[in-house]
Amino acid sequence: VKNKYFFGLYIEMKSAKGRISIEQSKFLKDVSDNGYAAFVCYSANEAIKRIEDYYQLLTSCANQPAFCPEVKINFFPVR
């Protein structure tokens, strides 16, 4: 969902023992650098939490713009 802060959300799903490839890491960095929120999630619960946080951020920022002047989420941990 595009909004004032991000063009959208990317989530790369991995198994609990999964690893992202170099290409996936580059892709996530590129989309992050271009205004998208990007995450790697290792479980459905983690992905649900990231999605909820993303939408909560949108709601919080829409209701209190001064609270989120220049939000930047660039979080894609590499295990």
Side-chain angles (χ1 to χ4, degrees), residues 1-2 5 8-10 12 16 18 21 25 33-35 37-39 41 46 52 56-58 64-65 67 69 73:
V1 174
K2 183 179 177 183
Y5 304 100
L9 171 66
Y10 279 94
E12 176 68 34
S21 68
S25 180
D33 288 347
N34 285 289
F39 300 96
C41 295
E46 186 180 355
E52 289 173 344
Q56 180 61 42
L57 173 67
L58 303 184
Q64 300 174 357
F67 177 71
I73 294 179

Side-chain angles (χ1 to χ4, degrees), residues 2-68:
K2 183 179 177 183
N3 62 60
K4 181 179 176 181
Y5 304 100
F6 303 103
F7 291 113
L9 171 66
Y10 279 94
I11 295 178
E12 176 68 34
M13 293 297 302
K14 293 293 178 187
S15 68
K17 295 180 181 180
R19 306 260 187 245
I20 63 171
S21 68
I22 292 170
E23 293 81 11
Q24 290 168 327
S25 180
K26 287 178 183 177
F27 174 80
L28 292 172
K29 182 175 181 340
D30 287 345
V31 297
S32 178
D33 288 347
N34 285 289
Y36 289 82
F39 300 96
V40 177
C41 295
Y42 295 88
S43 70
N45 287 338
E46 186 180 355
I48 290 167
K49 176 72 172 130
R50 293 288 182 202
I51 293 166
E52 289 173 344
D53 289 349
Y54 180 80
Y55 280 102
Q56 180 61 42
L57 173 67
L58 303 184
T59 303
S60 297
C61 291
N63 294 334
Q64 300 174 357
F67 177 71
C68 306

